[in-house]
Amino acid sequence: MLGEEALPPGGEGKVEVSIATAGRAGKLTKGATVETDDPAHASTVLTVSANVIVDLDFERNFVRFPTTRMGEQTSQAMPILAANPEGLAFGEVTSTLDGVTGSVLKEEADGKTSWSLQLYFKPKNIGSVSGQVELKVLKPAEKILSLNVSGTVEGDIKALPTFVSLRKLENGAAPEGKVTLKSQKGVFKIRKIADKSGYVKASAKTVKPGKEYALTVTVTALGMTQERFS
């Protein structure tokens, strides 16, 4: 195996490359860069491919859902790799992440059977979420297949405008700005409005209960002592 030793002109050496297959299945392709002090060939990229065979498992051990809004639904399909797909039978799909459900799909093509787990995500919480999905295998032997699932959920509340500039007035009065909060689908309540810096304060007026609120943002006395802030 090549290391720091020099090769004579026309000489040969071996480069050993390994691929970590833990938690992976199916076809894998990786690149390894070999660096030398030859100015004409300073580096060479070796492409290494492998087909990881498993008895029964998901193609990957994780699923990440694309950014989703509250009230909307997205889905992902996860192939199930099996040495003997014809003899499989599956039980229930369970999830520790609220809003995730799943069903097993069977396909027949060219005389071959294939399986996949179709996951549906209709989020119930805003922010970064994660959990685990388990699929129970009944035949040929009882087994649990596990998937880590995660995603990012955005609310359906929009602020218009998204940026407010509060500039000092020539008469010395505290400047103020207006912001409208609207919900596209769901309903919401404003529990608290706070600015940790103490430079601004805001009050809310109900336009449409649960759907639209008008905020008035004003610079505080502390904020008026600052040259500028954001």
Side-chain angles (χ1 to χ4, degrees):
M1 178 178 172
L2 288 178
E4 297 295 329
E5 68 272 15
L7 289 177
E12 294 183 356
K14 292 184 178 180
V15 176
E16 293 183 3
V17 180
S18 61
I19 299 179
T21 59
R24 305 296 298 270
K27 294 182 179 180
L28 301 177
T29 300
K30 297 291 182 179
T33 302
V34 180
E35 297 182 349
T36 74
D37 61 356
D38 184 351
H41 302 88
S43 65
T44 300
V45 177
L46 304 178
T47 300
V48 183
S49 299
N51 187 20
V52 183
I53 305 298
V54 296
D55 180 52
L56 178 62
D57 208 343
F58 291 119
E59 186 177 68
R60 299 189 310 277
N61 61 1
F62 66 93
V63 166
R64 179 164 183 81
F65 290 99
T67 300
T68 309
R69 287 189 177 275
M70 285 288 290
E72 297 180 351
Q73 179 174 281
T74 185
S75 64
Q76 293 267 16
M78 175 56 66
I80 300 172
L81 303 182
N84 181 26
E86 290 76 12
L88 294 177
F90 299 95
E92 64 179 348
V93 179
T94 58
S95 174
T96 62
L97 178 56
D98 285 344
V100 172
T101 58
S103 60
V104 178
L105 302 180
K106 181 181 181 181
E107 294 185 4
E108 301 281 354
D110 299 326
K112 295 182 180 180
T113 300
S114 62
W115 300 85
S116 64
L117 176 63
Q118 187 73 36
L119 293 175
Y120 304 92
F121 181 37
K122 192 170 185 179
K124 298 183 178 180
N125 297 290
I126 296 174
S128 297
V129 295
S130 61
Q132 191 173 62
V133 170
E134 291 188 344
L135 170 61
K136 187 174 183 179
V137 181
L138 301 177
K139 293 180 180 180
E142 290 196 3
K143 181 180 180 180
I144 299 295
L145 303 183
S146 298
L147 274 177
N148 294 315
V149 292
S150 62
T152 301
V153 184
E154 294 181 345
D156 68 341
I157 302 171
K158 290 188 176 181
L160 300 172
T162 58
F163 178 84
V164 176
S165 178
L166 301 177
R167 299 181 181 276
K168 291 184 179 181
L169 304 177
E170 292 182 359
N171 61 7
E176 65 177 32
K178 303 289 186 179
V179 177
T180 298
L181 296 181
K182 288 185 177 182
S183 173
Q184 304 300 306
K185 296 181 180 180
V187 296
F188 71 103
K189 292 182 179 180
I190 297 178
R191 295 179 178 177
K192 184 179 180 181
I193 304 174
D195 170 39
K196 293 181 179 180
S197 71
Y199 295 158
V200 298
K201 61 181 180 180
S203 60
K205 179 181 178 181
T206 302
V207 179
K208 296 179 181 179
K211 286 290 187 179
E212 182 176 343
Y213 297 87
L215 302 185
T216 300
V217 184
T218 309
V219 178
T220 64
L222 177 61
M224 292 293 288
T225 65
Q226 309 297 310
E227 287 297 323
R228 61 186 300 173
F229 59 84
S230 61

